[in-house]
Amino acid sequence: MLTLHGFPASNYFNMVKMALVEKGVPHDEARIYTNEKEGLLARNPMGKVPVLETGHGFISETSVILDYIEDTQDGPSLYPADAYGRARVRELVKYTELYLELPARRCYGEAFFGTGPETQQTKDEVRAVMERGASAIGQQAAFAPFIAGEALSYADIIFLFSFPMAAGVAQKVLDWDLAAQIPEANDLIKTLKARPTVQAIDAAARENMREFREAYGMA
């Protein structure tokens, strides 16, 4: 039995959880926050969530975990059958991770947690990277209806739990409508959020938010 370690308010935790549920993989969950250093470092030397516990040991880094799930578990594949299609999905995953979610995270404090404000230099740097990422996604994504084509893929899962956070940063901190640069994004998010899998994950995230804020002294 696989065990997913982390907490439901984490968007990366939810990426892995959605993959497990969409593929019908039996699993347990173990609650741990990133400020529980001793316990978390024993599972992931980088001290981050999520962590997947397997029969052979722990695995960290979301994209690595997703590939492990795909390689070892039954259920519908979340990659295309052909090598080029799989590469394009991984490309969209990296565009979203590295050029939307990761730079936007530099402004999460101001956007979501009441800290900051960030310096203008930081805001300029973040927007420059995000603009390139949004342009690349707009050029490479199919949105037909899913981001890589007709079937749900890991690129949709990463986008679902990254784009709304990035768009929130863009609106609240950068005074910028990110969705205007990727016009199909909101329709894709709406389609994905209609899935029962996502509705259950969103409900768990909302339920966890108070405990999450208390754990980090934000209550």
Side-chain angles (χ1 to χ4, degrees):
M1 175 75 76
L2 300 175
T3 300
L4 179 60
H5 297 250
F7 54 95
S10 162
N11 59 335
Y12 280 100
F13 176 92
N14 288 331
M15 293 171 192
V16 176
K17 182 174 179 178
M18 182 174 173
L20 290 168
V21 177
E22 288 285 348
K23 289 177 72 66
V25 178
H27 65 282
D28 292 326
E29 295 181 18
R31 185 72 50 85
I32 190 166
Y33 294 98
T34 55
N35 59 3
E36 299 176 55
K37 294 297 184 185
E38 184 175 348
L40 186 55
L41 288 172
R43 306 171 214 194
N44 176 7
M46 292 301 296
K48 300 191 300 182
V49 299
V51 181
L52 187 69
E53 184 177 0
T54 77
H56 302 284
F58 295 104
I59 299 173
S60 60
E61 297 300 331
T62 299
S63 60
V64 175
I65 294 172
L66 295 180
D67 280 346
Y68 175 84
I69 291 169
E70 186 68 21
D71 288 343
T72 63
Q73 304 300 310
D74 295 329
S77 177
L78 295 174
Y79 277 128
D82 64 295
Y84 182 74
R86 291 194 297 274
R88 292 305 295 268
V89 166
R90 291 188 175 105
E91 181 180 56
L92 287 164
V93 165
K94 288 303 177 184
Y95 284 165
T96 303
E97 283 183 337
L98 299 179
Y99 310 120
L100 285 187
E101 204 279 344
L102 187 61
R105 187 169 285 272
R106 295 178 64 186
C107 296
Y108 274 16
E110 181 177 345
F112 305 122
F113 303 123
T115 61
E118 303 297 340
T119 66
Q120 189 59 47
Q121 179 179 346
T122 295
K123 294 177 184 181
D124 291 344
E125 291 171 354
V126 166
R127 178 161 178 168
V129 176
M130 290 176 65
E131 283 182 341
R132 293 198 300 272
S135 177
I137 291 169
Q139 291 178 51
Q140 298 293 82
F143 295 107
F146 296 104
I147 194 168
E150 296 180 355
L152 179 75
S153 72
Y154 290 111
D156 294 290
I157 293 174
I158 300 297
F159 193 80
L160 171 62
F161 293 107
S162 299
F163 181 81
M165 303 290 284
V169 165
Q171 179 183 14
K172 296 176 182 180
V173 180
L174 306 178
D175 192 26
W176 171 40
D177 183 5
L178 177 59
Q181 195 164 342
I182 313 176
E184 305 91 344
N186 285 338
D187 285 343
L188 174 60
I189 297 297
K190 183 178 179 180
T191 295
L192 293 170
K193 283 187 172 290
R195 300 175 77 87
T197 298
V198 176
Q199 292 175 356
I201 290 171
D202 283 349
R206 289 192 297 270
E207 291 175 5
N208 178 235
M209 190 55 67
R210 169 180 265 184
E211 182 179 288
F212 162 74
R213 296 183 71 88
E214 289 175 349
Y216 293 92
M218 295 183 291

